Amino acid sequence: MNQIGIFNKQYGLEKQGLVNVKSVYWNLNAPRLYEEAVRRGEGIIADGGPLVVETGQHTGRSANDKFIVKNEESADTVWWGAVNKPFEETRFAELHRRVLAYYQGRDVFVQDCFAGADPNFRLSVRVVTETAWHSLFTRNMLLVPDRNEHQSFEPAFTILQAPGLKANPETDGTRSDVFVLINFAEKLVLIGGTSYAGEIKKSVFSILNYLLPARNVMPMHCSINVGDAGDAAIFFGLSGTGKTTLSADSSRMLIGDDEHGWSDNGTFNFEGGCYAKVIRLSEEAEPEIYETTRRFGTVLENVIFDPEARDLDLDDATLTENTRACYPIDFIPNASVDGIAGHPKNIIMLTADAFGVLPPISKLTPEQAMYHFLSGYTAKLAGTEKGLGKEPQATFSTCFGAPFMPRHPSVYAELLGKKIAEHGVTCWLVNTGWTGGEFGTGERMPIKYTRALVNSALAGELKDAPTAQDPHFGLAVPQSCPGVPSEILNPRETWADKAAYDAKARELVDRFIANFTQFEDYVDANVLAAAPDAA
């Protein structure tokens, strides 16, 4: 085979069963991957330099097509159910053989990278793709070793991604022609039938979420930034809740926008890049992220552009609401160099409440923080996953990341509760969703108000501010905040029909209570008492 680039001659693809491939492009940098992507017709260079690609039919994660192989390693450690669905070892082996056969006679691109900025906990990951642009995505999102590290690199896990290979559900045991299969015993991930690059990123996250709790490290679906005084802040939240937007604050240093660990030493980024939603991105409200969409090295997924002038149209959702920008984290001017921070002073749990009844900010007791972390309430927004319609759907995603949490939620919740207590962390629930009515009647919470509330919370201005208890959710709601109209703070006052508000709030309370029944045997009485009032 023809081998191009920097690689470890002692640990080549032959050790992983990849033989008779045409050419292997090892650890190419952005300029060389651009050349290959354009030459192969994989993407177009838009004005300013970003590489624009389309992912075809799959413009979001195929959540129902992800499986974990059930074997001796995983049988008693994985939280089996609707999220972590079991897959047979024999069928995995057959699909593995098919992936290896598929690559024969083809060019492949390899990135050997690290996941985890803290050297004490980092994981070496090899990602093999059939396109140059997926290799650039991987290089942007993970941590790139130096030349010496490349030459001695041995992967702890391998991801084989083959978008052009489709599964046969009848014979392969998959749900559709898409497959995302994780085998913890063989330290191998197989991805096929989809070009959506987020499957690569989230597979790495799932691996770390499985491995790290055993080392007393809390893996988190969150962003983190740090103030001048070294005060770290954690932002929990699902896609579309504002995690990336709110953490990219020019007055604070960005550690990372999506995936982190919290060890006894402090917090650290899992990644080396950001994967931001850019549909209707505002240059005024989100200048740091907006600027990345005009840079060489950024990969833009499913963004519409003028074919002649190559001007981007970030407002056009023709292909999907889930348009994305993937870029190295150092494209954000105030990003951390090493991706490491101390223990957090504040934790902010973000939710996009489609019902429009939660306060825009409320202070949580430690028990309420545990309750809302396990609940993970938000609204899934259009385009984030295949099959979602145009309207947001209310959902409970435990730990604000259930699709990526292989272990039982109680494992992560116990770790979080322990660390909150050890470090005296102040916790907040922030609603970035609707106000003045539910979706379709009200409006999305203005980002300027959310920023003002978050900034005041992080500055300590709301910690001891007067509060009123929300009658339905029992939350302590600050009664004033600089730069925010006082009526915004009380969601009931923003509704024209107060009776309709009360009815909708009770409806959401009932949903919280029904959802939490699955955790009642795993938490103490104080956490159960933090539930919303069903009366």
Side-chain angles (χ1 to χ4, degrees):
M1 68 179 72
N2 184 26
Q3 305 206 69
I4 304 160
I6 306 171
F7 60 96
N8 177 7
K9 295 180 180 179
Q10 302 302 313
Y11 204 104
L13 295 183
E14 297 86 351
K15 284 196 174 184
Q16 295 166 306
L18 276 164
V19 296
N20 299 325
V21 299
K22 185 178 178 182
S23 294
V24 184
Y25 294 86
W26 289 92
N27 299 305
L28 298 190
N29 62 14
R32 297 181 70 184
L33 288 169
Y34 259 67
E35 291 173 358
E36 293 296 332
V38 172
R39 182 171 68 84
R40 296 163 189 266
E42 298 173 7
I44 297 292
I45 301 175
D47 184 48
L51 181 68
V52 184
V53 300
E54 293 186 13
T55 62
Q57 176 187 358
H58 301 283
T59 58
R61 289 188 310 104
S62 298
N64 294 326
D65 295 304
K66 175 188 170 186
F67 298 86
I68 296 175
V69 177
K70 193 170 187 177
N71 47 35
E72 289 186 4
E73 165 65 34
S74 61
D76 298 325
T77 52
V78 169
W79 178 41
W80 302 108
V83 172
N84 299 309
K85 301 178 290 294
F87 201 78
E88 295 179 10
E89 283 187 285
T90 54
R91 282 180 156 164
F92 178 88
E94 180 55 35
L95 265 172
H96 185 199
R97 284 191 290 270
R98 286 184 58 198
V99 171
L100 297 179
Y102 175 82
Y103 274 127
Q104 292 189 21
R106 299 176 184 269
D107 291 343
V108 298
F109 294 84
V110 182
Q111 289 291 336
D112 288 335
C113 297
F114 296 124
D118 187 335
N120 296 304
F121 302 106
R122 75 181 185 185
L123 181 76
S124 56
V125 182
R126 172 168 289 172
V127 181
V128 182
T129 68
E130 65 172 305
T131 65
W133 85 260
H134 283 106
S135 194
L136 178 57
F137 172 92
T138 300
R139 188 177 181 86
N140 281 353
M141 290 309 307
L142 297 179
L143 298 160
V144 179
D146 62 29
R147 189 180 187 90
N148 290 332
E149 289 172 326
H150 273 315
Q151 292 176 338
S152 61
F153 189 93
E154 292 190 14
F157 269 79
T158 299
I159 297 175
L160 302 179
Q161 185 242 24
L165 176 62
K166 298 184 183 299
N168 183 333
E170 292 184 3
T171 58
D172 293 324
T174 57
R175 188 192 68 90
S176 72
D177 57 7
V178 174
F179 57 94
V180 181
L181 311 176
I182 301 177
N183 190 324
F184 289 116
E186 295 190 17
K187 297 178 171 53
L188 181 63
V189 178
L190 305 178
I191 301 173
T194 173
S195 289
Y196 182 64
E199 301 288 10
I200 298 172
K201 165 187 160 66
K202 290 305 185 185
S203 293
V204 174
F205 188 36
S206 296
I207 293 167
L208 290 169
N209 287 342
Y210 179 78
L211 297 176
L212 290 179
R215 303 181 65 186
N216 198 37
V217 177
M218 171 68 183
M220 302 176 292
H221 185 210
C222 71
S223 58
I224 297 179
N225 64 23
V226 181
D228 292 338
D231 52 315
I234 291 174
F235 296 77
F236 283 111
L238 296 178
S239 175
T241 57
K243 199 165 72 284
T244 298
T245 298
L246 292 169
S247 60
D249 185 330
S250 60
S251 67
R252 296 173 65 86
M253 182 173 65
L254 178 68
I255 302 300
D257 85 321
D258 197 46
E259 299 168 5
H260 294 80
W262 186 358
S263 73
D264 291 338
N265 303 324
T267 53
F268 62 96
N269 195 358
F270 286 168
E271 302 180 303
C274 302
Y275 192 40
K277 287 190 73 170
V278 294
I279 191 67
R280 291 177 288 277
L281 189 68
S282 165
E283 182 177 11
E284 179 182 359
E286 300 160 284
E288 293 86 3
I289 300 173
Y290 184 90
E291 189 63 28
T292 69
T293 66
R294 270 69 180 169
R295 286 193 61 167
F296 178 89
T298 294
V299 178
L300 296 178
E301 288 183 352
N302 303 308
V303 171
I304 302 300
F305 62 94
D306 184 295
E308 296 297 327
R310 303 289 177 90
D311 293 331
L312 301 174
D313 186 351
L314 298 179
D315 295 331
D316 193 328
T318 298
L319 295 178
T320 179
E321 286 278 332
N322 193 35
T323 56
R324 292 274 178 169
C326 163
Y327 49 89
I329 194 170
D330 61 14
F331 280 16
I332 300 296
N334 57 322
S336 167
V337 174
D338 60 11
I340 296 175
H343 298 289
K345 185 175 180 180
N346 289 276
I347 288 178
I348 293 174
M349 299 182 184
L350 300 169
T351 178
D353 176 27
F355 288 85
V357 296
L358 283 174
I361 193 167
S362 47
K363 186 179 177 183
L364 304 176
T365 66
E367 293 77 19
Q368 286 174 329
M370 293 284 288
Y371 184 92
H372 284 276
F373 179 72
L374 279 168
S375 297
Y377 167 69
T378 191
K380 289 183 180 179
L381 304 183
T384 303
E385 295 178 7
K386 183 184 176 186
L388 290 180
K390 294 183 179 181
E391 296 186 0
Q393 297 179 9
T395 187
F396 292 89
S397 184
T398 183
C399 307
F400 293 99
F404 325 117
M405 304 292 179
R407 297 185 183 271
H408 192 278
S410 62
V411 172
Y412 308 105
E414 288 173 9
L415 268 172
L416 180 67
K418 174 185 174 184
K419 291 184 180 297
I420 288 175
E422 285 178 353
H423 302 288
V425 183
T426 303
C427 299
W428 308 86
L429 183 67
V430 173
N431 174 23
T432 64
W434 279 257
T435 182
E438 62 182 313
F439 176 81
T441 302
E443 62 177 6
R444 192 76 189 259
M445 187 71 65
I447 184 66
K448 64 179 180 180
Y449 294 154
T450 301
R451 281 196 185 279
L453 290 165
V454 168
N455 289 340
S456 291
L458 299 187
E461 297 170 352
L462 300 183
K463 186 174 182 180
D464 298 316
T467 62
Q469 187 179 57
D470 182 280
H472 297 287
F473 300 94
L475 303 169
V477 182
Q479 293 302 284
S480 65
C481 176
V484 180
S486 58
E487 61 270 18
I488 289 288
L489 299 173
N490 184 345
R492 190 174 189 270
E493 294 305 310
T494 67
W495 283 54
D497 187 337
K498 303 299 189 287
Y501 169 85
D502 291 335
K504 188 60 65 175
R506 285 193 295 271
E507 179 184 336
L508 184 55
V509 166
D510 290 343
R511 292 197 184 208
F512 266 95
I513 293 171
N515 171 74
F516 206 82
T517 57
Q518 63 185 306
F519 305 123
E520 289 178 350
D521 293 335
Y522 300 96
V523 299
D524 63 30
N526 291 327
V527 175
L528 287 176
D533 188 357

